[in-house]
Amino acid sequence: MSNNGPIALAADKDAEASSTSIYDAIRHDILSGALEANERLKISALAKQHNTSTNPVREALQQLRGEGLVLFTPNQGARVRPIDMDFVRDVAEVGYQLEPYLLKLFVETASAEDIAELERIQDEIEALNFKDKARHTDLNHAFHETMYERHYNRVAFGVWKQHREILGSISTRIPIAIGRQEAILREHRALIDAIKAQDVDRAVKVLNQHIGDAGRHVVDQLRIEQTRASRHRSA
Protein backbone atom coordinates (compact mmCIF):
# COMPACT_ATOMS: atom_id res chain seq x y z
CA MET A 1 0.00 0.00 0.00
CA SER A 2 1.40 3.37 -1.09
CA ASN A 3 2.12 5.91 1.63
CA ASN A 4 1.20 9.20 -0.03
CA GLY A 5 -0.29 11.04 2.94
CA PRO A 6 0.71 14.49 4.17
CA ILE A 7 3.50 13.17 6.39
CA ALA A 8 5.07 11.23 3.52
CA LEU A 9 4.82 14.23 1.17
CA ALA A 10 6.40 16.49 3.76
CA ALA A 11 9.22 14.01 4.24
CA ASP A 12 9.80 13.90 0.48
CA LYS A 13 10.00 17.69 0.35
CA ASP A 14 12.41 17.76 3.29
CA ALA A 15 14.61 15.17 1.59
CA GLU A 16 14.59 17.14 -1.64
CA ALA A 17 15.49 20.37 0.19
CA SER A 18 18.25 18.57 2.09
CA SER A 19 19.74 17.14 -1.11
CA THR A 20 19.63 20.55 -2.79
CA SER A 21 21.27 22.35 0.12
CA ILE A 22 24.02 19.72 0.39
CA TYR A 23 24.62 20.02 -3.34
CA ASP A 24 24.86 23.82 -3.10
CA ALA A 25 27.22 23.64 -0.12
CA ILE A 26 29.62 21.11 -1.67
CA ARG A 27 29.51 22.90 -5.02
CA HIS A 28 30.42 26.20 -3.40
CA ASP A 29 33.26 24.59 -1.43
CA ILE A 30 34.73 23.14 -4.62
CA LEU A 31 34.49 26.36 -6.61
CA SER A 32 35.71 28.62 -3.81
CA GLY A 33 38.72 26.39 -3.12
CA ALA A 34 37.60 25.31 0.36
CA LEU A 35 37.83 21.78 -1.03
CA GLU A 36 41.19 21.50 -2.73
CA ALA A 37 41.89 20.12 -6.19
CA ASN A 38 42.00 16.30 -6.28
CA GLU A 39 40.86 16.10 -2.65
CA ARG A 40 39.06 12.84 -1.84
CA LEU A 41 35.34 13.29 -1.20
CA LYS A 42 34.38 10.73 1.42
CA ILE A 43 30.63 10.32 1.64
CA SER A 44 30.56 9.49 5.35
CA ALA A 45 32.75 12.47 6.24
CA LEU A 46 30.66 14.86 4.14
CA ALA A 47 27.45 13.51 5.67
CA LYS A 48 28.84 14.12 9.17
CA GLN A 49 30.08 17.60 8.24
CA HIS A 50 26.69 18.64 6.86
CA ASN A 51 24.68 16.83 9.54
CA THR A 52 22.78 14.65 7.12
CA SER A 53 22.50 11.04 5.97
CA THR A 54 24.64 9.60 3.21
CA ASN A 55 21.90 9.53 0.55
CA PRO A 56 21.74 13.32 -0.03
CA VAL A 57 25.54 13.39 -0.26
CA ARG A 58 25.56 10.60 -2.86
CA GLU A 59 22.90 12.42 -4.89
CA ALA A 60 24.81 15.70 -4.67
CA LEU A 61 28.07 14.09 -5.81
CA GLN A 62 26.34 12.46 -8.77
CA GLN A 63 24.86 15.83 -9.77
CA LEU A 64 28.26 17.50 -9.43
CA ARG A 65 29.76 14.70 -11.50
CA GLY A 66 27.30 15.63 -14.25
CA GLU A 67 28.55 19.22 -14.10
CA GLY A 68 32.16 18.07 -14.33
CA LEU A 69 33.07 19.34 -10.85
CA VAL A 70 33.53 15.88 -9.31
CA LEU A 71 35.53 13.03 -10.83
CA PHE A 72 34.94 9.35 -10.05
CA THR A 73 37.81 6.87 -10.30
CA PRO A 74 37.24 3.10 -10.02
CA ASN A 75 38.27 1.73 -6.61
CA GLN A 76 39.13 5.24 -5.41
CA GLY A 77 35.78 7.02 -5.26
CA ALA A 78 35.09 10.68 -5.81
CA ARG A 79 37.56 13.55 -5.87
CA VAL A 80 37.48 17.28 -6.60
CA ARG A 81 38.07 18.33 -10.18
CA PRO A 82 40.90 20.89 -10.34
CA ILE A 83 39.48 24.35 -11.08
CA ASP A 84 42.15 25.45 -13.50
CA MET A 85 42.39 28.20 -16.08
CA ASP A 86 41.09 26.00 -18.89
CA PHE A 87 37.95 25.20 -16.89
CA VAL A 88 37.32 28.89 -16.14
CA ARG A 89 37.91 29.83 -19.77
CA ASP A 90 35.39 27.22 -20.94
CA VAL A 91 32.75 28.39 -18.44
CA ALA A 92 33.32 32.05 -19.37
CA GLU A 93 32.97 31.31 -23.08
CA VAL A 94 29.45 30.00 -22.50
CA GLY A 95 28.59 33.46 -21.17
CA TYR A 96 30.21 35.13 -24.18
CA GLN A 97 27.77 33.28 -26.43
CA LEU A 98 24.61 33.50 -24.33
CA GLU A 99 24.63 36.93 -22.70
CA PRO A 100 24.38 39.08 -25.87
CA TYR A 101 21.55 36.84 -27.08
CA LEU A 102 19.67 37.22 -23.78
CA LEU A 103 20.34 40.96 -23.59
CA LYS A 104 18.86 41.89 -26.96
CA LEU A 105 15.26 41.17 -25.96
CA PHE A 106 15.64 43.20 -22.77
CA VAL A 107 16.97 46.25 -24.63
CA GLU A 108 14.07 46.08 -27.06
CA THR A 109 11.38 45.71 -24.36
CA ALA A 110 12.74 47.41 -21.22
CA SER A 111 10.29 49.67 -19.41
CA ALA A 112 11.06 52.69 -17.24
CA GLU A 113 10.52 50.44 -14.21
CA ASP A 114 13.03 47.91 -15.54
CA ILE A 115 15.67 50.59 -16.01
CA ALA A 116 14.92 52.01 -12.57
CA GLU A 117 15.56 48.56 -11.07
CA LEU A 118 18.91 48.33 -12.85
CA GLU A 119 19.84 51.78 -11.56
CA ARG A 120 18.78 50.83 -8.03
CA ILE A 121 21.03 47.77 -8.07
CA GLN A 122 23.90 49.75 -9.59
CA ASP A 123 23.52 52.48 -6.96
CA GLU A 124 23.88 49.79 -4.28
CA ILE A 125 26.93 48.32 -6.02
CA GLU A 126 28.58 51.73 -6.08
CA ALA A 127 27.67 52.50 -2.47
CA LEU A 128 29.16 49.16 -1.39
CA ASN A 129 32.32 49.97 -3.37
CA PHE A 130 33.64 46.37 -3.24
CA LYS A 131 33.97 46.40 0.56
CA ASP A 132 32.07 43.10 0.87
CA LYS A 133 33.07 40.67 -1.87
CA ALA A 134 30.22 38.20 -1.28
CA ARG A 135 27.61 40.97 -1.30
CA HIS A 136 29.14 42.50 -4.43
CA THR A 137 28.94 39.12 -6.17
CA ASP A 138 25.24 38.83 -5.26
CA LEU A 139 24.49 42.34 -6.50
CA ASN A 140 26.44 41.87 -9.71
CA HIS A 141 24.53 38.65 -10.36
CA ALA A 142 21.23 40.47 -9.69
CA PHE A 143 22.20 43.23 -12.14
CA HIS A 144 22.71 40.75 -14.97
CA GLU A 145 19.80 38.50 -14.03
CA THR A 146 17.43 41.48 -14.14
CA MET A 147 18.27 41.84 -17.83
CA TYR A 148 17.98 38.17 -18.75
CA GLU A 149 15.31 36.58 -16.55
CA ARG A 150 12.35 37.61 -18.75
CA HIS A 151 13.70 35.89 -21.85
CA TYR A 152 11.34 33.33 -23.37
CA ASN A 153 14.19 30.84 -23.89
CA ARG A 154 14.24 29.27 -20.44
CA VAL A 155 16.89 26.71 -21.45
CA ALA A 156 19.33 29.46 -22.46
CA PHE A 157 18.57 31.43 -19.30
CA GLY A 158 19.01 28.33 -17.13
CA VAL A 159 22.38 27.48 -18.68
CA TRP A 160 23.56 31.09 -18.29
CA LYS A 161 22.47 31.16 -14.64
CA GLN A 162 24.27 27.91 -13.82
CA HIS A 163 27.50 29.08 -15.41
CA ARG A 164 27.22 32.53 -13.86
CA GLU A 165 26.91 30.95 -10.42
CA ILE A 166 30.03 28.90 -11.11
CA LEU A 167 32.03 32.01 -12.02
CA GLY A 168 30.60 33.85 -9.02
CA SER A 169 31.75 31.14 -6.64
CA ILE A 170 35.21 31.04 -8.23
CA SER A 171 35.52 34.82 -8.02
CA THR A 172 35.12 34.73 -4.22
CA ARG A 173 38.60 33.18 -3.96
CA ILE A 174 40.44 35.90 -5.89
CA PRO A 175 40.82 39.67 -5.42
CA ILE A 176 39.29 42.19 -7.82
CA ALA A 177 42.03 44.47 -9.13
CA ILE A 178 41.48 48.21 -8.62
CA GLY A 179 41.46 48.82 -12.36
CA ARG A 180 38.85 46.11 -12.84
CA GLN A 181 36.70 47.59 -10.07
CA GLU A 182 36.65 50.94 -11.86
CA ALA A 183 35.85 49.26 -15.17
CA ILE A 184 32.92 47.32 -13.71
CA LEU A 185 31.25 50.50 -12.46
CA ARG A 186 31.92 52.33 -15.72
CA GLU A 187 30.69 49.51 -17.93
CA HIS A 188 27.50 48.98 -15.92
CA ARG A 189 26.62 52.67 -16.32
CA ALA A 190 27.41 52.56 -20.05
CA LEU A 191 25.17 49.53 -20.37
CA ILE A 192 22.30 51.29 -18.61
CA ASP A 193 22.72 54.31 -20.91
CA ALA A 194 22.56 52.09 -24.01
CA ILE A 195 19.43 50.38 -22.71
CA LYS A 196 17.78 53.74 -22.02
CA ALA A 197 18.46 54.69 -25.64
CA GLN A 198 17.17 51.27 -26.82
CA ASP A 199 20.40 50.96 -28.78
CA VAL A 200 20.82 47.21 -29.15
CA ASP A 201 24.12 47.35 -31.02
CA ARG A 202 25.74 49.68 -28.49
CA ALA A 203 24.44 47.65 -25.56
CA VAL A 204 25.83 44.41 -27.03
CA LYS A 205 29.19 46.09 -27.71
CA VAL A 206 29.44 47.30 -24.10
CA LEU A 207 28.37 43.90 -22.78
CA ASN A 208 30.89 42.03 -24.92
CA GLN A 209 33.70 44.16 -23.56
CA HIS A 210 32.36 43.83 -20.01
CA ILE A 211 32.10 40.04 -19.90
CA GLY A 212 35.24 39.51 -21.99
CA ASP A 213 37.35 41.61 -19.63
CA ALA A 214 35.73 39.94 -16.61
CA GLY A 215 36.60 36.47 -17.87
CA ARG A 216 40.19 37.45 -18.64
CA HIS A 217 40.54 39.04 -15.20
CA VAL A 218 39.44 35.83 -13.44
CA VAL A 219 41.86 33.74 -15.51
CA ASP A 220 44.72 36.20 -14.83
CA GLN A 221 44.04 36.20 -11.09
CA LEU A 222 43.88 32.41 -11.00
CA ARG A 223 47.22 32.28 -12.81
CA ILE A 224 48.72 34.55 -10.15
CA GLU A 225 47.18 32.42 -7.38
CA GLN A 226 48.54 29.21 -8.86
CA THR A 227 52.01 30.71 -9.34
CA ARG A 228 52.11 31.82 -5.71
CA ALA A 229 50.93 28.40 -4.53
CA SER A 230 53.61 26.68 -6.61
CA ARG A 231 56.32 28.92 -5.16
CA HIS A 232 55.05 28.28 -1.65
CA ARG A 233 55.19 24.50 -2.15
CA SER A 234 58.74 24.66 -3.52
CA ALA A 235 60.00 27.00 -0.77
Side-chain angles (χ1 to χ4, degrees):
M1 180 170 147
S2 175
N3 185 5
N4 292 322
I7 294 176
L9 292 174
D12 289 343
K13 289 180 179 179
D14 288 345
E16 182 179 351
S18 175
S19 180
T20 301
S21 63
I22 299 304
Y23 156 78
D24 287 337
I26 298 174
R27 184 173 184 255
H28 177 75
D29 285 348
I30 292 172
L31 294 170
S32 66
L35 288 170
E36 297 182 356
N38 293 311
E39 182 174 341
R40 286 280 305 279
L41 297 170
K42 298 180 179 179
I43 292 174
S44 58
L46 288 169
K48 184 177 180 180
Q49 176 185 341
H50 295 287
N51 193 29
T52 187
S53 64
T54 57
N55 283 340
V57 174
R58 286 195 180 92
E59 292 172 9
L61 293 182
Q62 287 296 335
Q63 191 171 352
L64 291 165
R65 180 187 191 182
E67 292 182 20
L69 295 176
V70 168
L71 303 176
F72 280 83
T73 305
N75 302 319
Q76 295 183 21
R79 60 184 176 86
V80 175
R81 182 201 193 282
I83 305 300
D84 53 21
M85 289 174 285
D86 288 344
F87 177 80
V88 174
R89 179 205 62 208
D90 292 348
V91 172
E93 285 183 358
V94 173
Y96 301 160
Q97 301 302 315
L98 285 179
E99 291 200 47
Y101 165 71
L102 294 169
L103 176 67
K104 289 176 183 178
L105 181 64
F106 183 80
V107 178
E108 293 169 351
T109 61
S111 65
E113 291 77 13
D114 295 326
I115 294 171
E117 177 61 10
L118 280 182
E119 290 182 319
R120 183 196 67 77
I121 296 170
Q122 182 59 21
D123 286 345
E124 193 171 347
I125 289 173
E126 292 172 3
L128 183 66
N129 197 27
F130 303 92
K131 293 175 183 176
D132 182 334
K133 186 184 293 185
R135 180 59 181 157
H136 170 81
T137 298
D138 289 344
L139 288 169
N140 190 51
H141 184 85
F143 182 89
H144 285 263
E145 186 165 354
T146 297
M147 296 185 290
Y148 309 148
E149 63 182 352
R150 70 169 51 177
H151 205 283
Y152 60 84
N153 191 330
R154 306 315 295 168
V155 173
F157 174 71
V159 171
W160 166 80
K161 188 170 183 178
Q162 181 187 64
H163 284 70
R164 185 76 185 191
E165 288 170 351
I166 290 173
L167 283 180
S169 292
I170 293 171
S171 70
T172 62
R173 64 195 277 186
I174 59 175
I176 304 175
I178 293 174
R180 184 62 205 146
Q181 292 177 9
E182 295 171 350
I184 289 170
L185 303 183
R186 184 173 61 250
E187 289 159 5
H188 276 196
R189 286 296 177 186
L191 193 52
I192 291 172
D193 288 343
I195 294 168
K196 283 181 177 178
Q198 291 190 304
D199 189 332
V200 173
D201 291 340
R202 177 153 59 101
V204 168
K205 183 178 180 180
V206 172
L207 179 68
N208 281 334
Q209 179 180 347
H210 179 60
I211 60 179
D213 289 349
R216 283 186 290 273
H217 177 264
V218 173
V219 170
D220 288 345
Q221 292 293 337
L222 276 178
R223 183 180 293 111
I224 292 169
E225 180 188 76
Q226 291 175 5
T227 300
R228 286 174 176 167
S230 178
R231 288 175 180 171
H232 179 74
R233 286 193 298 269
S234 62

